[in-house]
Amino acid sequence: MLRGVIFDLDGTLGDTLPVCYRAFARVFRRRLGVQYSDRQIHAMFGPSEEGILARLCPRSADEALAEYLAEYRHAHSACPRPFDGIPALLAGLRRRGIKLAIVTGKGPGSARITLDIFGIGDHFSIIEAGSPSGGVKPACMRRVLACWGFPPQAVAGVGDSPSDIRSGREVGIQSVAAAWAPGADPELLRAFGPDRLFADVQSFRGWALAQEGDRQS
């Protein structure tokens, strides 16, 4: 019985990784005089934006974060909507009484910008952002489970990266690999042993809505 779903954000609900790359690149070019590639920026992920900027711009971290969030919002014009099918998926799950949460490595500021632009924030009862100190997804997932009071096996964790799969398995929830982003590598995700892998939103929706949610939750 599926009673809750915990979603990652970037690459799972929308194609927002390019937005992150563009915003970081502009801040780093302006403040550090360095042009980082998308691959180099991706390698910095783990800490939230606050942590990344505090490490690379230690003397002006607050100003750099404000600049990043402004650039992030501006760059989001290239990604104004979530993936096709996501709004209908979220609405359908809620109608079945299935609770929804987000656990993301993003900081709270950029997460809120994305959810506001996508217009889907109201679907989620809990939003757990990342930490400046590094990856904390298992701890965040455990807080969601404690708040909901559901056993881990009644909850699915949906994400597009190996770290999402590892976190879900560590916590004991059903690990679902989201392989529907343009840059997704299904075989890489499969190698990390998710309980399920879906190549498109509609396939996941069909599986999730076939589960017996608790309408009274």
Side-chain angles (χ1 to χ4, degrees):
M1 183 171 67
L2 186 65
R3 303 185 65 188
V5 181
I6 300 173
F7 287 93
D8 172 51
L9 206 168
D10 291 326
T12 300
L13 296 178
D15 191 21
T16 45
L17 282 172
V19 180
C20 303
Y21 299 150
R22 185 175 302 178
F24 271 126
R26 288 176 175 172
V27 172
F28 293 150
R29 184 170 60 245
R30 189 176 299 124
R31 289 189 169 267
L32 305 177
V34 178
Q35 182 65 53
Y36 285 104
S37 67
D38 292 353
R39 183 182 297 272
Q40 289 172 315
I41 293 170
H42 190 87
M44 300 175 188
F45 290 2
S48 65
E49 298 97 329
E50 291 84 349
I52 294 171
L53 293 168
R55 181 172 64 85
L56 293 179
C57 306
R59 297 182 179 179
S60 56
D62 291 343
E63 294 87 348
L65 177 62
E67 185 176 322
Y68 171 83
L69 292 175
E71 291 286 3
Y72 184 86
R73 183 180 292 278
H74 177 73
H76 226 301
S77 61
C79 181
R81 292 174 295 278
F83 288 125
D84 290 345
I86 288 293
L89 164 68
L90 301 177
L93 291 172
R94 288 187 69 197
R95 283 195 298 270
R96 294 291 183 95
I98 296 172
K99 293 189 177 295
L100 307 179
I102 287 176
V103 169
T104 176
K106 300 171 75 65
S110 62
R112 180 48 59 190
I113 289 171
T114 290
L115 293 174
D116 286 348
I117 289 173
F118 284 173
I120 58 174
D122 289 346
H123 287 296
F124 301 97
S125 61
I126 303 171
I127 299 171
E128 288 275 351
S131 167
S133 63
V136 292
K137 283 193 172 183
C140 292
M141 289 176 173
R142 290 189 179 98
R143 282 197 293 270
V144 173
L145 290 175
C147 182
W148 284 344
F150 299 159
Q153 62 270 23
V155 174
V158 185
D160 70 311
S161 73
S163 66
D164 294 315
I165 297 170
R166 287 194 300 265
S167 297
R169 293 178 68 87
E170 179 178 334
V171 175
I173 62 178
Q174 300 181 59
S175 178
V176 176
W180 49 70
D185 186 339
E187 292 311 309
L188 173 65
L189 295 175
R190 201 182 308 277
F192 283 82
D195 295 309
R196 293 170 180 82
L197 184 147
F198 295 99
D200 56 76
V201 174
Q202 295 302 328
S203 296
F204 171 69
R205 182 187 182 195
W207 172 80
L209 294 182
Q211 312 305 302
E212 294 184 2
D214 182 356
R215 297 173 185 269
Q216 302 305 315
S217 296

